[in-house]
Amino acid sequence: MPLLSIVVPCYNEQYVLPLFVEELSRVVRSWRDPESNISRTPSPGDIPEVEVIFVDDGSIDGTLAFLKELTEEPACNLPFHVRWVSFSRNFGKEAGLLAGLKEARGDFVATMDADMQDPPSLLPSLYLQLITSDYDNIATRRVSRTGEPPIRSACARLFYRIVSHISQTEIVDGARDFRLMRRSMVDAIISMPEYNRFSKGIFGWVGFKTKWVAFENVERPAGESHWNFWSLLLYAIDGIVAFSTAPLSIASIAGVLLCFVAFVALAFILVRTLLFGDPVDGWPSLVCIIVFLGGIQLLCLGIMGQYLAKTYLETKRRPPYIIREQSPDHREGER
Ligand code: UDP
Ligand code: MG
Protein backbone atom coordinates (compact mmCIF):
# COMPACT_ATOMS: atom_id res chain seq x y z
CA MET A 1 0.00 0.00 0.00
CA PRO A 2 1.36 3.46 -0.78
CA LEU A 3 1.92 5.75 2.18
CA LEU A 4 0.53 9.29 2.26
CA SER A 5 2.13 11.63 4.81
CA ILE A 6 0.25 14.76 5.82
CA VAL A 7 2.37 17.54 7.30
CA VAL A 8 0.54 19.98 9.56
CA PRO A 9 2.35 22.91 11.20
CA CYS A 10 0.52 24.10 14.31
CA TYR A 11 1.06 27.16 16.42
CA ASN A 12 -1.36 27.75 19.28
CA GLU A 13 -4.11 25.74 17.65
CA GLN A 14 -5.67 24.06 20.68
CA TYR A 15 -9.16 25.11 19.67
CA VAL A 16 -9.01 24.05 16.08
CA LEU A 17 -6.89 20.87 16.31
CA PRO A 18 -9.64 18.62 17.72
CA LEU A 19 -11.91 19.77 14.88
CA PHE A 20 -9.15 19.12 12.35
CA VAL A 21 -8.46 15.60 13.64
CA GLU A 22 -12.17 14.82 13.65
CA GLU A 23 -12.67 16.10 10.10
CA LEU A 24 -9.59 14.30 8.77
CA SER A 25 -10.72 11.06 10.41
CA ARG A 26 -14.11 11.45 8.80
CA VAL A 27 -12.51 12.01 5.41
CA VAL A 28 -10.12 9.06 5.67
CA ARG A 29 -12.89 6.76 6.92
CA SER A 30 -15.26 7.60 4.11
CA TRP A 31 -12.38 7.32 1.64
CA ARG A 32 -11.92 3.71 2.74
CA ASP A 33 -15.64 3.08 2.83
CA PRO A 34 -16.68 1.38 -0.42
CA GLU A 35 -20.22 2.69 0.03
CA SER A 36 -19.24 6.37 -0.07
CA ASN A 37 -19.19 8.25 -3.35
CA ILE A 38 -15.92 10.05 -2.63
CA SER A 39 -13.40 10.32 -5.52
CA ARG A 40 -11.82 6.89 -5.52
CA THR A 41 -8.49 5.78 -6.73
CA PRO A 42 -8.69 3.47 -9.78
CA SER A 43 -8.64 0.44 -7.54
CA PRO A 44 -9.48 0.36 -3.84
CA GLY A 45 -6.05 -1.17 -3.20
CA ASP A 46 -4.51 2.16 -4.20
CA ILE A 47 -6.12 4.02 -1.34
CA PRO A 48 -3.06 4.93 0.70
CA GLU A 49 -2.20 4.33 4.26
CA VAL A 50 -2.12 7.71 5.98
CA GLU A 51 0.26 9.16 8.55
CA VAL A 52 -0.11 12.66 9.95
CA ILE A 53 2.90 14.60 11.15
CA PHE A 54 2.03 17.51 13.39
CA VAL A 55 4.74 20.08 13.94
CA ASP A 56 4.19 22.03 17.12
CA ASP A 57 5.88 25.32 16.42
CA GLY A 58 6.61 26.27 20.03
CA SER A 59 2.96 26.70 20.99
CA ILE A 60 2.27 28.17 24.39
CA ASP A 61 -1.25 26.80 24.73
CA GLY A 62 -2.56 23.24 24.99
CA THR A 63 -1.48 22.21 21.47
CA LEU A 64 1.36 19.93 22.55
CA ALA A 65 -0.70 18.36 25.32
CA PHE A 66 -3.39 17.55 22.76
CA LEU A 67 -0.84 15.97 20.40
CA LYS A 68 0.59 13.88 23.23
CA GLU A 69 -2.88 12.65 24.05
CA LEU A 70 -3.38 11.63 20.44
CA THR A 71 -0.30 9.42 20.42
CA GLU A 72 -0.55 8.15 23.98
CA GLU A 73 -4.07 6.82 23.69
CA PRO A 74 -4.30 4.20 21.01
CA ALA A 75 -7.91 3.95 22.17
CA CYS A 76 -8.68 7.04 20.09
CA ASN A 77 -8.95 4.62 17.20
CA LEU A 78 -7.88 6.99 14.50
CA PRO A 79 -7.81 5.79 10.89
CA PHE A 80 -4.26 7.15 10.52
CA HIS A 81 -0.91 7.10 12.33
CA VAL A 82 0.04 10.20 14.21
CA ARG A 83 3.52 11.47 14.87
CA TRP A 84 4.56 14.84 16.16
CA VAL A 85 7.61 17.03 16.53
CA SER A 86 7.76 19.90 18.96
CA PHE A 87 10.10 22.89 18.58
CA SER A 88 12.01 24.56 21.39
CA ARG A 89 10.37 27.88 20.52
CA ASN A 90 8.33 29.46 17.75
CA PHE A 91 10.41 29.23 14.57
CA GLY A 92 7.66 30.18 12.13
CA LYS A 93 5.53 28.22 9.72
CA GLU A 94 8.28 27.82 7.12
CA ALA A 95 10.49 26.01 9.61
CA GLY A 96 7.51 23.90 10.62
CA LEU A 97 6.90 22.84 7.02
CA LEU A 98 10.56 21.91 6.58
CA ALA A 99 10.62 19.83 9.75
CA GLY A 100 7.44 18.05 8.69
CA LEU A 101 8.73 17.31 5.20
CA LYS A 102 11.94 15.88 6.67
CA GLU A 103 9.94 13.68 9.03
CA ALA A 104 7.56 12.44 6.36
CA ARG A 105 8.19 8.90 5.17
CA GLY A 106 5.41 8.73 2.60
CA ASP A 107 5.57 8.10 -1.13
CA PHE A 108 3.23 11.08 -1.32
CA VAL A 109 3.35 14.04 1.00
CA ALA A 110 0.68 16.65 1.59
CA THR A 111 1.19 19.90 3.47
CA MET A 112 -1.76 21.69 4.98
CA ASP A 113 -2.78 24.15 7.69
CA ALA A 114 -4.32 22.99 10.92
CA ASP A 115 -7.09 25.57 10.80
CA MET A 116 -9.18 23.82 8.12
CA GLN A 117 -8.73 26.70 5.71
CA ASP A 118 -7.19 23.93 3.61
CA PRO A 119 -10.20 21.61 3.57
CA PRO A 120 -9.22 17.99 4.36
CA SER A 121 -12.17 16.88 2.24
CA LEU A 122 -10.21 17.88 -0.87
CA LEU A 123 -7.47 15.32 -0.16
CA PRO A 124 -9.01 12.28 -1.88
CA SER A 125 -9.61 14.22 -5.05
CA LEU A 126 -6.09 15.73 -5.02
CA TYR A 127 -4.69 12.25 -4.53
CA LEU A 128 -6.73 10.83 -7.38
CA GLN A 129 -5.60 13.62 -9.69
CA LEU A 130 -1.97 13.02 -8.77
CA ILE A 131 -1.79 9.29 -9.22
CA THR A 132 -3.78 9.21 -12.45
CA SER A 133 -1.58 11.81 -14.13
CA ASP A 134 2.10 12.42 -14.61
CA TYR A 135 2.06 15.60 -12.53
CA ASP A 136 4.55 15.74 -9.67
CA ASN A 137 2.36 17.83 -7.46
CA ILE A 138 -1.15 19.14 -7.19
CA ALA A 139 -1.24 22.60 -5.68
CA THR A 140 -4.21 24.61 -4.52
CA ARG A 141 -5.04 28.26 -4.79
CA ARG A 142 -8.00 30.07 -3.40
CA VAL A 143 -9.99 32.09 -5.83
CA SER A 144 -11.81 34.17 -3.24
CA ARG A 145 -10.77 35.81 -0.02
CA THR A 146 -14.10 36.05 1.76
CA GLY A 147 -13.89 36.79 5.44
CA GLU A 148 -10.53 38.46 5.13
CA PRO A 149 -10.07 42.18 5.89
CA PRO A 150 -10.27 44.00 2.50
CA ILE A 151 -7.04 45.88 3.16
CA ARG A 152 -5.22 42.58 3.66
CA SER A 153 -6.62 41.19 0.38
CA ALA A 154 -5.63 44.36 -1.47
CA CYS A 155 -2.07 44.25 -0.10
CA ALA A 156 -1.80 40.55 -0.94
CA ARG A 157 -2.89 41.16 -4.53
CA LEU A 158 -0.39 44.00 -4.85
CA PHE A 159 2.37 41.77 -3.49
CA TYR A 160 1.64 39.01 -6.00
CA ARG A 161 1.51 41.48 -8.85
CA ILE A 162 4.88 43.00 -7.93
CA VAL A 163 6.59 39.71 -7.26
CA SER A 164 5.36 38.07 -10.45
CA HIS A 165 6.99 40.90 -12.39
CA ILE A 166 10.34 41.01 -10.67
CA SER A 167 11.02 37.37 -9.94
CA GLN A 168 11.85 34.58 -12.35
CA THR A 169 10.26 32.10 -10.00
CA GLU A 170 6.56 31.56 -10.50
CA ILE A 171 4.63 32.67 -7.42
CA VAL A 172 0.90 32.27 -7.99
CA ASP A 173 -1.70 34.66 -6.56
CA GLY A 174 -3.79 33.02 -3.88
CA ALA A 175 -1.49 29.99 -3.74
CA ARG A 176 -1.86 28.12 -0.47
CA ASP A 177 0.72 25.94 1.16
CA PHE A 178 -1.81 23.13 0.63
CA ARG A 179 -0.17 20.68 -1.76
CA LEU A 180 0.20 17.05 -2.52
CA MET A 181 3.62 16.07 -3.83
CA ARG A 182 5.47 13.05 -5.01
CA ARG A 183 8.52 11.91 -3.09
CA SER A 184 10.94 13.21 -5.75
CA MET A 185 9.69 16.75 -5.27
CA VAL A 186 9.80 16.50 -1.49
CA ASP A 187 13.42 15.32 -1.68
CA ALA A 188 14.23 18.31 -3.89
CA ILE A 189 12.67 20.71 -1.41
CA ILE A 190 14.47 19.33 1.63
CA SER A 191 17.74 19.37 -0.29
CA MET A 192 17.54 23.18 -0.39
CA PRO A 193 19.69 24.25 2.54
CA GLU A 194 18.69 27.88 2.78
CA TYR A 195 17.86 29.41 6.12
CA ASN A 196 15.46 32.08 4.84
CA ARG A 197 12.72 29.85 3.57
CA PHE A 198 9.86 31.31 1.60
CA SER A 199 7.92 28.17 0.74
CA LYS A 200 5.71 29.67 -1.92
CA GLY A 201 8.89 30.55 -3.81
CA ILE A 202 10.69 27.30 -3.04
CA PHE A 203 7.81 25.22 -4.39
CA GLY A 204 8.03 27.20 -7.63
CA TRP A 205 11.81 27.23 -7.77
CA VAL A 206 12.26 23.45 -7.62
CA GLY A 207 10.11 23.19 -10.73
CA PHE A 208 8.41 19.85 -11.45
CA LYS A 209 5.02 19.59 -13.09
CA THR A 210 2.38 21.38 -11.12
CA LYS A 211 -1.34 21.26 -11.55
CA TRP A 212 -3.33 24.07 -9.90
CA VAL A 213 -6.69 23.38 -8.36
CA ALA A 214 -8.87 26.32 -7.35
CA PHE A 215 -11.17 26.39 -4.35
CA GLU A 216 -13.27 28.95 -2.51
CA ASN A 217 -11.78 30.43 0.63
CA VAL A 218 -12.89 28.81 3.86
CA GLU A 219 -12.92 30.74 7.12
CA ARG A 220 -11.31 29.45 10.29
CA PRO A 221 -13.85 27.68 12.51
CA ALA A 222 -11.91 28.55 15.70
CA GLY A 223 -8.77 30.26 16.94
CA GLU A 224 -7.37 33.21 15.06
CA SER A 225 -4.90 34.01 12.29
CA HIS A 226 -1.32 34.63 13.42
CA TRP A 227 -0.74 37.35 10.89
CA ASN A 228 -1.13 41.07 11.29
CA PHE A 229 -0.28 43.91 8.94
CA TRP A 230 3.36 44.19 10.01
CA SER A 231 4.12 40.49 10.02
CA LEU A 232 2.62 40.22 6.54
CA LEU A 233 4.66 43.19 5.34
CA LEU A 234 7.87 41.60 6.66
CA TYR A 235 6.83 38.28 5.08
CA ALA A 236 6.32 40.05 1.74
CA ILE A 237 9.77 41.67 1.97
CA ASP A 238 11.28 38.27 2.85
CA GLY A 239 9.61 36.77 -0.19
CA ILE A 240 10.89 39.45 -2.52
CA VAL A 241 14.42 39.44 -1.14
CA ALA A 242 14.59 35.64 -1.23
CA PHE A 243 13.44 35.26 -4.82
CA SER A 244 14.47 38.37 -6.67
CA THR A 245 17.44 40.66 -6.90
CA ALA A 246 15.43 43.18 -8.92
CA PRO A 247 15.27 45.75 -6.08
CA LEU A 248 19.08 45.96 -6.22
CA SER A 249 18.96 46.70 -9.94
CA ILE A 250 16.14 49.20 -9.42
CA ALA A 251 18.26 50.97 -6.80
CA SER A 252 21.24 51.17 -9.15
CA ILE A 253 19.12 52.36 -12.09
CA ALA A 254 17.46 55.00 -9.90
CA GLY A 255 20.94 56.14 -8.84
CA VAL A 256 22.12 56.47 -12.44
CA LEU A 257 18.95 58.32 -13.46
CA LEU A 258 19.28 60.79 -10.59
CA CYS A 259 22.94 61.43 -11.45
CA PHE A 260 21.86 62.18 -14.99
CA VAL A 261 19.14 64.58 -13.83
CA ALA A 262 21.60 66.32 -11.50
CA PHE A 263 24.08 66.66 -14.35
CA VAL A 264 21.49 68.23 -16.67
CA ALA A 265 20.35 70.59 -13.89
CA LEU A 266 23.96 71.58 -13.24
CA ALA A 267 24.51 72.40 -16.90
CA PHE A 268 21.30 74.40 -16.94
CA ILE A 269 22.28 76.45 -13.88
CA LEU A 270 25.78 77.03 -15.23
CA VAL A 271 24.47 78.37 -18.51
CA ARG A 272 21.83 80.49 -16.81
CA THR A 273 24.40 82.01 -14.41
CA LEU A 274 26.75 82.83 -17.28
CA LEU A 275 23.96 84.46 -19.30
CA PHE A 276 21.87 86.19 -16.60
CA GLY A 277 24.12 86.50 -13.53
CA ASP A 278 23.46 84.79 -10.17
CA PRO A 279 20.22 85.78 -8.42
CA VAL A 280 20.39 84.36 -4.84
CA ASP A 281 17.02 82.77 -4.53
CA GLY A 282 15.66 79.27 -4.80
CA TRP A 283 16.91 77.82 -1.54
CA PRO A 284 13.53 76.18 -0.75
CA SER A 285 13.78 74.16 -3.94
CA LEU A 286 17.34 73.29 -2.97
CA VAL A 287 16.22 71.95 0.38
CA CYS A 288 13.58 69.85 -1.37
CA ILE A 289 16.16 68.39 -3.70
CA ILE A 290 18.56 67.62 -0.87
CA VAL A 291 15.86 65.91 1.14
CA PHE A 292 14.72 63.96 -1.90
CA LEU A 293 18.22 62.78 -2.71
CA GLY A 294 18.86 61.93 0.94
CA GLY A 295 15.69 59.85 0.94
CA ILE A 296 16.64 57.97 -2.20
CA GLN A 297 20.06 57.24 -0.79
CA LEU A 298 18.65 55.90 2.45
CA LEU A 299 16.16 53.78 0.52
CA CYS A 300 18.91 52.25 -1.60
CA LEU A 301 21.05 51.65 1.47
CA GLY A 302 18.07 50.02 3.11
CA ILE A 303 17.57 47.70 0.12
CA MET A 304 21.22 46.70 0.17
CA GLY A 305 20.95 46.24 3.92
CA GLN A 306 18.07 43.79 3.44
CA TYR A 307 20.15 41.58 1.17
CA LEU A 308 23.19 41.92 3.39
CA ALA A 309 21.15 40.95 6.44
CA LYS A 310 19.86 37.83 4.68
CA THR A 311 23.37 36.92 3.58
CA TYR A 312 24.55 37.42 7.15
CA LEU A 313 21.89 35.06 8.45
CA GLU A 314 22.71 32.47 5.79
CA THR A 315 26.44 32.54 6.53
CA LYS A 316 25.81 31.79 10.20
CA ARG A 317 24.49 28.41 9.11
CA ARG A 318 22.12 28.14 11.98
CA PRO A 319 19.64 25.29 11.89
CA PRO A 320 16.21 26.50 10.74
CA TYR A 321 14.61 24.96 13.85
CA ILE A 322 15.46 23.07 17.02
CA ILE A 323 13.44 20.08 18.15
CA ARG A 324 12.70 19.87 21.84
CA GLU A 325 10.61 16.74 21.93
CA GLN A 326 9.05 14.30 19.54
CA SER A 327 6.58 11.45 19.52
CA PRO A 328 7.98 8.20 20.93
CA ASP A 329 7.74 6.07 17.79
CA HIS A 330 10.19 8.32 16.00
CA ARG A 331 12.82 6.34 14.09
CA GLU A 332 15.82 8.39 13.07
CA GLY A 333 16.53 8.63 9.37
CA GLU A 334 13.94 6.07 8.42
CA ARG A 335 11.24 6.61 5.84
N1 UDP B 1 1.66 28.53 11.96
C1 UDP B 1 2.85 28.02 12.45
N2 UDP B 1 3.78 28.87 13.01
C2 UDP B 1 3.55 30.23 13.07
C3 UDP B 1 2.35 30.75 12.54
C4 UDP B 1 1.43 29.87 11.99
O1 UDP B 1 3.09 26.81 12.41
O2 UDP B 1 4.42 30.94 13.58
C5 UDP B 1 0.66 27.61 11.37
C6 UDP B 1 -0.74 27.72 11.96
O3 UDP B 1 -0.88 26.92 13.11
C7 UDP B 1 -1.61 27.26 10.82
C8 UDP B 1 -0.83 27.72 9.59
O4 UDP B 1 0.50 27.94 10.01
O5 UDP B 1 -1.71 25.84 10.79
C9 UDP B 1 -1.44 28.98 8.98
O6 UDP B 1 -1.52 30.00 9.94
P1 UDP B 1 -2.68 31.08 9.97
O7 UDP B 1 -4.01 30.41 9.88
O8 UDP B 1 -2.43 31.95 11.13
O9 UDP B 1 -2.40 31.88 8.62
P2 UDP B 1 -3.46 32.44 7.57
O10 UDP B 1 -4.38 31.29 7.22
O11 UDP B 1 -4.18 33.52 8.26
O12 UDP B 1 -2.63 32.86 6.42
MG1 MG C 1 -5.38 30.20 8.40
Side-chain angles (χ1 to χ4, degrees), residues 89-297:
R89 65 167 170 87
N90 179 243
F91 281 91
K93 182 182 173 186
E94 305 294 342
L97 282 176
L98 177 66
L101 290 179
K102 282 192 176 165
E103 278 300 311
R105 303 170 186 154
D107 312 289
F108 302 94
V109 181
T111 52
M112 63 197 301
D113 288 359
D115 61 5
M116 302 219 280
Q117 288 193 291
D118 299 333
S121 56
L122 279 181
L123 274 172
S125 115
L126 296 186
Y127 186 76
L128 179 67
Q129 295 182 54
L130 187 64
I131 66 161
T132 54
S133 65
D134 76 330
Y135 285 108
D136 299 296
N137 78 109
I138 311 287
T140 62
R141 51 185 284 263
R142 49 180 176 180
V143 281
S144 64
R145 287 176 171 269
T146 38
E148 204 181 62
I151 177 87
R152 176 169 168 181
S153 309
C155 291
R157 292 237 161 73
L158 181 70
F159 166 73
Y160 285 111
R161 196 166 315 148
I162 293 177
V163 94
S164 66
H165 276 101
I166 63 175
S167 170
Q168 263 85 36
T169 305
E170 192 198 14
I171 297 174
V172 174
D173 185 6
R176 308 262 330 156
D177 293 334
F178 180 22
R179 297 189 169 238
L180 180 62
M181 296 170 270
R182 287 183 195 273
R183 173 50 54 188
S184 48
M185 181 160 170
V186 177
D187 287 341
I189 291 171
I190 53 189
S191 75
M192 290 177 75
E194 60 211 79
Y195 177 81
N196 298 288
R197 302 187 79 85
F198 181 70
S199 290
K200 288 181 177 33
I202 290 179
F203 287 139
W205 190 90
V206 295
F208 292 95
K209 285 192 174 179
T210 304
K211 177 174 179 184
W212 288 96
V213 174
F215 72 95
E216 292 287 329
N217 189 40
V218 184
E219 286 181 50
R220 254 178 186 270
E224 55 188 43
S225 171
H226 303 92
W227 298 92
N228 58 33
F229 176 77
W230 289 110
S231 59
L232 278 174
L233 182 70
L234 292 180
Y235 182 63
I237 294 177
D238 272 357
I240 292 176
V241 172
F243 279 91
S244 166
T245 47
L248 288 176
S249 321
I250 295 172
S252 328
I253 293 171
V256 170
L257 278 180
L258 277 174
C259 284
F260 179 73
V261 171
F263 185 73
V264 171
L266 193 72
F268 172 75
I269 289 169
L270 206 67
V271 172
R272 196 183 60 174
T273 313
L274 287 179
L275 292 184
F276 307 107
D278 182 16
V280 191
D281 59 4
W283 69 267
S285 48
L286 201 66
V287 170
C288 292
I289 292 170
I290 291 174
V291 170
F292 174 66
L293 288 183
I296 295 277
Q297 281 170 358

